[in-house]
């Protein structure tokens, strides 16, 4: 199997790089047993954020393609995506991501992140149909990245490109609605952790209805947006255990890595109990 290694000649903004990755994903739906690696340098230093991570400010904040940890950079960094077109589990993709992250950084990743005195790396994963996606953001040097790609992948064909992405798609990673979603604070919350990964569920009620609900955390899922979409179904519903059972049923259909399913069920049960107690005060 040939691995196509696309190295961008120009620096891109983070959302532009993600938009180009999205274009590769569309092509890979038609190419079974293909691997694409895309590397670019990013134009701006700043904060990148995981898909489910709660935003603390509006500056340099992006929605990611994948879940994963937050990382703050104050220097230039590289963005690497590894895309494979084959049917496999999210766990297998995660094992591959950890292996690549360890090779690049020289350090065993913990909860999706590798840290040393002067090097940082985070990775995120998801699966879209038959396409597995690994995102890596790192300030390790290019020699480390290239060495690992040559040693971990077979039949690597390197190609220099000038990546151009759809501005409309690029802008979708900067939408105000996403940023505002992450910035909200609600009075009732529950959380659960597993080896550095975590999930938080926060809610605001009005009368005996759930007015707003917010899911944040550090974990991986496929489909990537489905955990958020699942809990948002509770907005506007009465505080009733039947609706929470329905959300549990939806989560049983979502592949999750980093967390156990019990972590998710715990925060749903715990938040429901807090909502009931708050309502009865």
């Amino acid at each position: 199997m040939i691995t196509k290694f696309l190295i961008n000649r120009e620096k891109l903004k983070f959302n532009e790089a993600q938009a180009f990755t999205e274009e590769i994903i569309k092509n890979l739906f038609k190419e079974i047993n293909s691997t694409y690696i895309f590397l670019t340098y990013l134009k701006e230093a700043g904060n990148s954020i995981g898909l489910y991570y709660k935003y603390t400010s509006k500056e340099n904040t992006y929605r990611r393609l994948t879940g994963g940890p937050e990382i703050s950079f104050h220097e230039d960094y590289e963005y690497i995506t590894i895309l494979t077109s084959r049917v496999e589990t999210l766990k297998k993709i995660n094992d591959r991501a950890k292996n690549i992250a360890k090779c690049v950084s020289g350090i065993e990743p913990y909860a999706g992140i590798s840290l040393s005195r002067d090097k940082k790396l985070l990775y995120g994963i998801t699966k879209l149909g038959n396409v597995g996606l690994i995102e890596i953001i790192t300030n390790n040097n290019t020699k480390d990245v290239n060495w690992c790609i040559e040693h971990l992948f077979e039949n690597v064909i390197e190609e220099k490109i000038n990546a151009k992405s759809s501005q409309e798609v690029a802008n979708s990673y900067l939408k105000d609605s996403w940023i505002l979603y992450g910035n909200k604070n609600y009075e009732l919350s529950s959380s659960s952790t597993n080896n550095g990964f975590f999930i938080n569920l926060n809610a605001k009620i009005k009368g005996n209805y759930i007015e707003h609900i917010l899911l944040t955390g550090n974990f991986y899922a496929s489909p990537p947006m489905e955990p958020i979409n699942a809990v948002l179904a509770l907005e506007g519903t009465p505080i009733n255990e039947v609706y929470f059972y329905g959300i549990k049923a939806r989560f049983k259909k979502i592949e999750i890595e980093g967390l156990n399913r019990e972590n998710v069920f715990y925060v749903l049960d715990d938040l429901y109990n807090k909502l009931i107690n708050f309502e009865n005060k």
Side-chain angles (χ1 to χ4, degrees), residues 2 17 48 73 76 84 91 95 107 128 136 138 140 143 146 180-181 192 201 212 217 262 273 280:
I2 294 173
S48 169
F73 271 29
D76 292 336
T84 54
K91 183 182 185 308
D95 289 341
I107 298 170
L128 301 164
I136 293 175
T138 181
N140 288 79
K143 288 183 179 179
N146 288 351
L180 292 173
Y181 168 85
S192 184
L201 204 54
H212 296 295
E262 290 74 18
N273 290 327
N280 292 332

Side-chain angles (χ1 to χ4, degrees), residues 5 7 39 41 78 80 100 103-106 119 138-152 158:
F5 182 25
I7 302 174
L39 181 149
Y41 297 91
E78 297 176 18
I80 307 140
I100 297 168
C103 180
V104 171
S105 68
K119 303 291 184 184
T138 181
N139 68 347
N140 288 79
N141 62 57
T142 306
K143 288 183 179 179
D144 294 333
V145 174
N146 288 351
W147 189 92
C148 290
I149 288 170
E150 291 291 337
H151 285 75
L152 295 177
E158 190 174 301

Side-chain angles (χ1 to χ4, degrees), residues 5-72:
F5 182 25
L6 309 177
I7 302 174
N8 193 34
R9 297 175 187 271
E10 302 290 334
K11 288 186 177 183
L12 295 177
K13 291 184 177 180
F14 185 64
N15 59 311
E16 294 170 341
Q18 291 185 107
F20 185 76
T21 295
E22 203 171 302
E23 290 299 316
I24 299 175
I25 292 170
K26 290 176 184 176
N27 292 333
L28 278 173
F29 283 136
K30 307 169 188 174
E31 297 184 26
I32 304 300
N33 293 324
S34 297
T35 298
Y36 279 78
I37 301 169
F38 170 57
L39 181 149
T40 191
Y41 297 91
L42 299 179
K43 280 184 179 178
E44 55 202 11
N47 297 326
S48 169
I49 206 128
L51 177 57
Y52 313 108
Y53 214 95
K54 186 175 181 181
Y55 302 150
T56 54
S57 70
K58 293 185 181 180
E59 275 195 54
N60 299 320
T61 302
Y62 302 95
R63 172 171 69 85
R64 289 240 309 273
L65 281 160
T66 63
E70 177 193 31
I71 192 167
S72 296

Side-chain angles (χ1 to χ4, degrees), residues 5 9 14 17 31 59 63 84-85 92 110 115 140 145 164 170 182 184 187 194 197-199 206-207 209 255 260 278:
F5 182 25
R9 297 175 187 271
F14 185 64
E31 297 184 26
E59 275 195 54
R63 172 171 69 85
T84 54
S85 179
K92 189 169 183 179
Y110 176 75
L115 294 173
N140 288 79
V145 174
K164 291 184 179 179
K184 293 173 183 173
E187 64 251 278
N194 181 47
F197 292 98
F198 65 93
I199 182 171
K206 189 173 184 179
Y209 283 81
E255 274 192 85
N260 298 316
F278 189 85

Side-chain angles (χ1 to χ4, degrees), residues 2-281:
I2 294 173
T3 299
K4 297 180 181 179
F5 182 25
L6 309 177
I7 302 174
N8 193 34
R9 297 175 187 271
E10 302 290 334
K11 288 186 177 183
L12 295 177
K13 291 184 177 180
F14 185 64
N15 59 311
E16 294 170 341
Q18 291 185 107
F20 185 76
T21 295
E22 203 171 302
E23 290 299 316
I24 299 175
I25 292 170
K26 290 176 184 176
N27 292 333
L28 278 173
F29 283 136
K30 307 169 188 174
E31 297 184 26
I32 304 300
N33 293 324
S34 297
T35 298
Y36 279 78
I37 301 169
F38 170 57
L39 181 149
T40 191
Y41 297 91
L42 299 179
K43 280 184 179 178
E44 55 202 11
N47 297 326
S48 169
I49 206 128
L51 177 57
Y52 313 108
Y53 214 95
K54 186 175 181 181
Y55 302 150
T56 54
S57 70
K58 293 185 181 180
E59 275 195 54
N60 299 320
T61 302
Y62 302 95
R63 172 171 69 85
R64 289 240 309 273
L65 281 160
T66 63
E70 177 193 31
I71 192 167
S72 296
F73 271 29
H74 303 289
E75 64 276 336
D76 292 336
Y77 52 97
E78 297 176 18
Y79 174 70
I80 307 140
T81 53
I82 299 99
L83 303 104
T84 54
S85 179
R86 64 174 79 103
V87 178
E88 56 188 352
T89 64
L90 200 59
K91 183 182 185 308
K92 189 169 183 179
I93 297 169
N94 192 32
D95 289 341
R96 184 183 307 125
K98 288 192 289 186
N99 192 32
I100 297 168
K102 183 178 179 181
C103 180
V104 171
S105 68
I107 298 170
E108 189 77 39
Y110 176 75
I113 193 164
S114 299
L115 294 173
S116 65
R117 182 175 298 176
D118 58 348
K119 303 291 184 184
K120 296 180 182 179
L121 178 147
L122 74 76
Y123 76 84
I125 63 167
T126 193
K127 189 173 69 174
L128 301 164
N130 63 309
V131 178
L133 169 61
I134 299 169
E135 283 185 302
I136 293 175
I137 301 167
T138 181
N139 68 347
N140 288 79
N141 62 57
T142 306
K143 288 183 179 179
D144 294 333
V145 174
N146 288 351
W147 189 92
C148 290
I149 288 170
E150 291 291 337
H151 285 75
L152 295 177
F153 294 89
E154 297 178 354
N155 302 320
V156 177
I157 297 177
E158 190 174 301
E159 182 183 350
K160 298 288 195 305
I161 62 169
N162 289 315
K164 291 184 179 179
S165 56
S166 160
Q167 196 59 50
E168 183 180 356
V169 176
N171 288 343
S172 72
Y173 293 94
L174 296 172
K175 283 185 176 178
D176 289 341
S177 61
W178 176 265
I179 296 170
L180 292 173
Y181 168 85
N183 271 299
K184 293 173 183 173
N185 289 303
Y186 302 134
E187 64 251 278
L188 297 169
S189 64
S190 180
S191 63
S192 184
T193 63
N194 181 47
N195 293 322
F197 292 98
F198 65 93
I199 182 171
N200 295 325
L201 204 54
N202 301 267
K204 179 181 180 181
I205 64 174
K206 189 173 184 179
N208 66 334
Y209 283 81
I210 298 172
E211 184 178 16
H212 296 295
I213 195 160
L214 172 68
L215 179 147
T216 56
N218 169 19
F219 61 93
Y220 310 121
S222 175
M225 289 294 294
E226 190 57 20
I228 289 173
N229 293 335
V231 300
L232 284 177
L234 288 169
E235 288 194 349
T237 65
I239 302 168
N240 188 303
E241 62 183 347
V242 172
Y243 295 103
F244 279 79
Y245 285 143
I247 304 306
K248 284 185 178 181
R250 286 186 66 167
F251 268 100
K252 287 179 181 178
K253 299 177 182 178
I254 304 171
E255 274 192 85
I256 294 176
E257 271 293 307
L259 298 174
N260 298 316
R261 210 169 297 280
E262 290 74 18
N263 296 118
V264 179
F265 290 168
Y266 169 80
V267 295
L268 285 166
D269 290 339
D270 186 51
L271 183 64
Y272 171 73
N273 290 327
K274 288 177 178 177
L275 288 168
I276 289 292
N277 292 332
F278 189 85
E279 181 192 20
N280 292 332
K281 282 183 179 178

